[in-house]
C-alpha cells in the first residue's frame, strides 16, 4: 500500500483537499484530530504533558487548550516539546489504522509533516500552498481569529518553498483553482504508481 503524506500550512486548504480524496474513496487519517483526541484520552500522554508544561495543562482532567496554545504558539521551543510528546503516540495509532485499510493508497494529513521530521515515512508527499494573504483571510473568516494569531502560526511552520523542494506534488490552491479536477488528476497519478 502506498502511504501518501498530505501537508500544507494553516489556511492552505489541505483539509479541503483531503475531503476531496475521501470523496474518491481514499481513507484519510487526520493527524491533528487524532493528536487532539489522544491529548484528551491517553493517560501516558496526559501525564507527560502535565510534567512538561505544568498542572495547568489540564483543568478538571480536561485539556486547557488556551493555556497550551499560548505557550506553544508564541515559543517555538515549547511547540517542539509538545510535538515530541504527541507525535510518537499519533504515529503508533496511524500504523495500526493503516493495517486496517485495503485501498491502493491511504493519506496522512498533517500541517506539520516536515516539521516533525516525518517525511521519510511517506512514499509520496503532496503539499498544498496558497499565498499568505489568502491563507490569512481564509482563517480569519473560518475561525474569527486575529490576524496576528494566524501570522504567529505561519511563522512557526516551515516556509512553502522548503516544503515544495521535498514534495512529489504541489497543489497551488488559490481561490480560483478547480480543486476537483486537480485532485482527480493527482488521484489517477497515485493510482498509476501502485500498479
Ligand atoms: P488548518 O491548518 O487551519 O487546518 P487547512 O489547510 O486544513 O487549515 P482548510 O480548513 O481546508 O485549510 O481551508 C481553510 C478555509 O479556506 C476553509 O474555510 C475552506 O473552506 C477555505 N478554502 C480552502 N480552499 C479554498 C478554495 N480553493 N477556495 C475558496 N476557499 C477555500
Amino acid at each position: 500500500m502506498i502511504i501518501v503524506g498530505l501537508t500544507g500550512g494553516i489556511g492552505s486548504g489541505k483539509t479541503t483537499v483531503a475531503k476531496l480524496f475521501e470523496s474518491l474513496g481514499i481513507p484519510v487519517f487526520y493527524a491533528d484530530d487524532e493528536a487532539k483526541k489522544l491529548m484528551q484520552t491517553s493517560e501516558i500522554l496526559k501525564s507527560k504533558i502535565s510534567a512538561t508544561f505544568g498542572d495547568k495543562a489540564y483543568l478538571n482532567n480536561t485539556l486547557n487548550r488556551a493555556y497550551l496554545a499560548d505557550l506553544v504558539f508564541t515559543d517555538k521551543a515549547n511547540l517542539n516539546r509538545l510535538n515530541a510528546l504527541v507525535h510518537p503516540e499519533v504515529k503508533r495509532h496511524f500504523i495500526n489504522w493503516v493495517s486496517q485499510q485495503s485501498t491502493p493508497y491511504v493519506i496522512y494529513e498533517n500541517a506539520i509533516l516536515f516539521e516533525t521530521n516525518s517525511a521519510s515515512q511517506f512514499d509520496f508527499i503532496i503539499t498544498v500552498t496558497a499565498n499568505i494573504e489568502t491563507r490569512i483571510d481564509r482563517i480569519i473568516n473560518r475561525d474569527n481569529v486575529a490576524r496576528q494569531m494566524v501570522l504567529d502560526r505561519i511563522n512557526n511552520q516551515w516556509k512553502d518553498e522548503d516544503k515544495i523542494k521535498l514534495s512529489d506534488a504541489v497543489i497551488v490552491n488559490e481561490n480560483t483553482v478547480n480543486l476537483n479536477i486537480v485532485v482527480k488528476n493527482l488521484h489517477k497519478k497515485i493510482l498509476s504508481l501502485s500498479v
Side-chain angles (χ1 to χ4, degrees):
M1 184 184 294
I2 293 178
I3 311 290
V4 174
L6 172 63
T7 191
I10 181 168
S12 60
K14 66 196 160 299
T15 307
T16 306
V17 168
K19 299 280 177 214
L20 291 175
F21 277 103
E22 278 191 299
S23 74
L24 298 172
I26 298 304
V28 178
F29 183 93
Y30 294 91
D32 282 4
D33 292 349
E34 194 66 26
K36 282 183 191 145
K37 209 162 75 191
L38 290 172
M39 282 194 272
Q40 194 54 67
T41 57
S42 162
E43 293 304 327
I44 301 169
L45 193 53
K46 283 161 75 174
S47 62
K48 284 183 183 167
I49 290 172
S50 293
T52 307
F53 296 105
D55 289 341
K56 272 193 192 162
Y58 288 88
L59 289 178
N60 302 323
N61 212 20
T62 302
L63 187 67
N64 186 350
R65 288 189 195 287
Y67 171 78
L68 260 193
D70 203 37
L71 286 177
V72 303
F73 290 119
T74 52
D75 181 344
K76 214 166 185 167
N78 279 336
L79 182 61
N80 290 339
R81 274 184 210 115
L82 183 64
N83 285 340
L85 297 179
V86 176
H87 184 66
E89 276 299 294
V90 174
K91 192 178 155 192
R92 234 164 36 83
H93 280 249
F94 175 64
I95 290 168
N96 182 46
W97 176 87
V98 168
S99 72
Q100 294 161 16
Q101 310 305 321
S102 54
T103 42
Y105 73 97
V106 296
I107 293 179
Y108 178 94
E109 188 250 38
N110 188 3
I112 51 168
L113 190 151
F114 290 110
E115 290 85 340
T116 50
N117 296 318
S118 311
S120 63
Q121 289 158 33
F122 299 97
D123 302 303
F124 193 92
I125 296 180
I126 305 166
T127 293
V128 184
T129 68
N131 80 61
I132 286 185
E133 285 306 320
T134 305
R135 291 163 59 192
I136 293 172
D137 284 350
R138 284 175 182 169
I139 299 305
I140 290 174
N141 287 331
R142 189 191 66 186
D143 299 343
N144 196 20
V145 290
R147 181 184 169 86
Q148 189 57 47
M149 197 229 76
V150 187
L151 275 173
D152 286 346
R153 301 227 177 165
I154 288 176
N155 290 332
N156 272 323
Q157 297 176 340
W158 274 31
K159 287 197 188 74
D160 280 353
E161 60 188 81
D162 295 329
K163 293 179 193 166
I164 289 167
K165 281 182 207 150
L166 297 169
S167 300
D168 300 285
V170 176
I171 297 179
V172 180
N173 179 31
E174 297 305 337
N175 292 342
T176 49
V177 80
N178 187 330
L179 262 192
N180 275 306
I181 293 178
V182 173
V183 169
K184 265 187 196 150
N185 286 337
L186 199 46
H187 174 65
K188 276 188 215 148
K189 182 174 173 183
I190 300 168
L191 285 179
S192 76
L193 299 174
S194 69
V195 288

